[in-house]
Amino acid sequence: MENKGISSAVIKRLPRYYRYLSDLMNQGVERISSNELSSLMSVTASQIRQDLNNFGGFGQQGYGYNVEYLYGEIGKILCVDKKHNMVIIGGGNFGHALANYERFEQKGFVTRAIFDKDPEKVGGDVRGIPILDIAQLPAYLKEHGVQIGVLTIPKLEAQEITDILVAGGVKAIWNFAHLDLKVPDDVLVENVHLSESLMQLSYRLGEQK
Amino acid sequence: MENKGISSAVIKRLPRYYRYLSDLMNQGVERISSNELSSLMSVTASQIRQDLNNFGGFGQQGYGYNVEYLYGEIGKILCVDKKHNMVIIGGGNFGHALANYERFEQKGFVTRAIFDKDPEKVGGDVRGIPILDIAQLPAYLKEHGVQIGVLTIPKLEAQEITDILVAGGVKAIWNFAHLDLKVPDDVLVENVHLSESLMQLSYRLGEQK
């Protein structure tokens, strides 16, 4: 499969296709035309065809898409058919909430451990996922293959912990801390800056008035 | 001030400027050139000048930007100088985490109440913010002016609650539920789909190999 040179706009849309196809499968739908998918998702049918053509198509003219097949193929493109080991840094409410999302696991994102510096939290667990002392993080990373580090800690500590994750071989950081992390070129960062999302909403609220 | 026709790409970048200016203020920096800001934020100086020119500039050739003034002006554009009342629907870990973010309040986003259907949660509070019975939501909205509803509930319940929020006059929904909401044209939705963010990370991890 040829994935090179796919625009980031297409990549951003793929998880949404994946979600709709998952819903359709759950509803027992076996086949769907690009027109039906188009009206369901409020995007044009030609957009859908173009997006999926980036990966070789998947549809037969006049027959539409096989829902389960397309779901599987998009899953492969998104690499959710593989297991990724995650550690969550920060055992507060937010870290707990993320560790509790069983849906992540179903998509191959398996949280192996949560790290915190608070002695009252260390030794506990969330759904059997142990909460370990942050001091153990370097040794843990050496022993376990961890691909993704999730940062749910205050911004002042985020860069220091990032450096430890990177030194321990982590190749992707899912960053909820409110700063831009410095990482080597071969380490990916996906930011979820909640305040910034909220400010976009308030901007648009202000614009409407 | 003329905000019409500003591209959404610019709007998405404004909160990041706002964050950097806030950090600079905290460090006691009074004035910064677009070149300095450029190297700090890893965007080109011409991008910065272009972005800020959308709102009339704010800089003097050769003198750079007054940090506090620019911070204040961007804050006005983002409407964070105004108070917005929010309610959080869902008193789980995620709702708790959001209610605990004091930073939202500092930006004018004030959580007035949390709603849940679990009798064990109802009657409690988070930092003094009451957790109320979801059955009280329509009456609450009638009595209190609420601008923003935050959804941290499972997708199956999200549309029903959205309809109640919209009927109660809420004009913006910050949606963490994993579906696309149906709302009237004058109601804004800002989605935070965490699984989709994670899938983009795994796609990029797969692409790197």
Side-chain angles (χ1 to χ4, degrees), chain A residues 5-209:
Chain A
I6 307 296
S7 80
S8 66
V10 176
I11 303 310
K12 279 196 181 160
R13 287 196 289 268
L14 280 187
R16 189 158 176 264
Y17 288 114
Y18 193 68
R19 169 157 56 91
Y20 275 88
L21 290 164
S22 164
D23 290 347
L24 288 166
M25 269 170 60
N26 289 338
Q27 290 157 26
V29 177
E30 290 179 7
R31 196 160 270 285
I32 191 160
S33 70
S34 53
N35 282 328
E36 289 165 326
L37 194 56
S38 154
S39 73
L40 200 64
M41 295 184 63
S42 304
V43 291
T44 66
S46 99
Q47 168 94 83
I48 292 178
R49 282 190 294 265
Q50 268 180 37
D51 281 352
L52 299 182
N53 277 341
N54 276 304
F55 305 97
F58 310 124
Q60 272 175 284
Q61 192 71 41
Y63 288 88
Y65 299 104
N66 176 312
V67 171
E68 191 173 347
Y69 175 73
L70 187 54
Y71 176 81
E73 291 299 308
I74 293 181
K76 281 184 213 164
I77 294 165
L78 291 171
C79 289
V80 297
D81 58 329
K82 301 198 173 58
K83 286 256 176 292
H84 295 98
N85 288 335
M86 297 205 301
V87 293
I88 296 175
I89 315 297
N93 281 313
F94 208 81
H96 261 75
L98 294 177
N100 263 325
Y101 269 122
E102 292 175 45
R103 194 193 307 129
F104 292 162
E105 241 157 72
Q106 292 156 13
K107 305 240 165 72
F109 303 98
V110 186
T111 302
R112 297 296 182 184
I114 302 162
F115 289 87
D116 204 287
K117 63 179 181 184
D118 181 353
E120 291 198 9
K121 287 183 183 134
V122 171
D125 76 283
V126 178
R127 288 195 302 130
I129 302 163
I131 305 180
L132 307 176
D133 190 324
I134 190 75
Q136 293 181 271
L137 181 60
Y140 185 93
L141 294 172
K142 226 179 243 181
E143 274 171 47
H144 302 79
V146 175
Q147 288 81 49
I148 302 177
V150 185
L151 293 188
T152 70
I153 50 176
K155 66 192 287 186
L156 283 177
E157 299 158 24
Q159 185 61 52
E160 185 191 336
I161 297 293
T162 296
D163 295 342
I164 294 173
L165 290 168
V166 168
V170 170
K171 289 296 174 208
I173 313 257
W174 201 25
N175 177 37
F176 291 81
H178 203 54
L179 88 165
D180 297 322
L181 300 170
K182 290 182 187 68
V183 294
D185 285 344
D186 66 337
V187 174
L188 302 166
V189 176
E190 176 81 15
N191 290 311
V192 183
H193 290 159
L194 293 177
S195 303
E196 301 191 5
S197 164
L198 201 46
M199 279 189 243
Q200 284 177 46
L201 201 56
S202 76
Y203 170 83
R204 288 158 63 203
L205 269 173
E207 203 182 30
Q208 267 193 346
K209 270 171 200 163

Side-chain angles (χ1 to χ4, degrees), chain A residues 3 6 11-12 15-16 18-20 23 77-80 84 86 93-94 96-98 100-101 103-104 107 109 147-148 155 171-174 176 178-180 185-190 192-208, chain B residues 3 6 11-12 15-16 18-20 23 77-80 84 86 93-94 96-98 100-101 103-104 107 109 147-148 155 171-174 176 178-180 185-190 192-208:
Chain A
N3 287 5
I6 307 296
I11 303 310
K12 279 196 181 160
R16 189 158 176 264
Y18 193 68
R19 169 157 56 91
Y20 275 88
D23 290 347
I77 294 165
L78 291 171
C79 289
V80 297
H84 295 98
M86 297 205 301
N93 281 313
F94 208 81
H96 261 75
L98 294 177
N100 263 325
Y101 269 122
R103 194 193 307 129
F104 292 162
K107 305 240 165 72
F109 303 98
Q147 288 81 49
I148 302 177
K155 66 192 287 186
K171 289 296 174 208
I173 313 257
W174 201 25
F176 291 81
H178 203 54
L179 88 165
D180 297 322
D185 285 344
D186 66 337
V187 174
L188 302 166
V189 176
E190 176 81 15
V192 183
H193 290 159
L194 293 177
S195 303
E196 301 191 5
S197 164
L198 201 46
M199 279 189 243
Q200 284 177 46
L201 201 56
S202 76
Y203 170 83
R204 288 158 63 203
L205 269 173
E207 203 182 30
Q208 267 193 346
Chain B
N3 288 5
I6 307 294
I11 304 311
K12 280 195 180 163
R16 190 158 175 264
Y18 193 68
R19 170 157 56 89
Y20 275 88
D23 290 346
I77 293 165
L78 291 171
C79 288
V80 297
H84 295 97
M86 299 205 299
N93 281 313
F94 207 80
H96 262 74
L98 294 177
N100 263 325
Y101 269 121
R103 194 192 306 129
F104 293 161
K107 305 242 164 71
F109 303 98
Q147 287 82 48
I148 302 177
K155 65 193 287 184
K171 289 296 175 210
I173 313 256
W174 201 25
F176 291 82
H178 203 52
L179 89 166
D180 297 322
D185 285 344
D186 66 336
V187 174
L188 302 166
V189 177
E190 175 82 15
V192 184
H193 290 159
L194 293 178
S195 303
E196 301 191 5
S197 163
L198 201 45
M199 279 189 245
Q200 284 177 47
L201 202 55
S202 75
Y203 170 82
R204 288 159 65 203
L205 268 175
E207 205 182 30
Q208 268 194 345

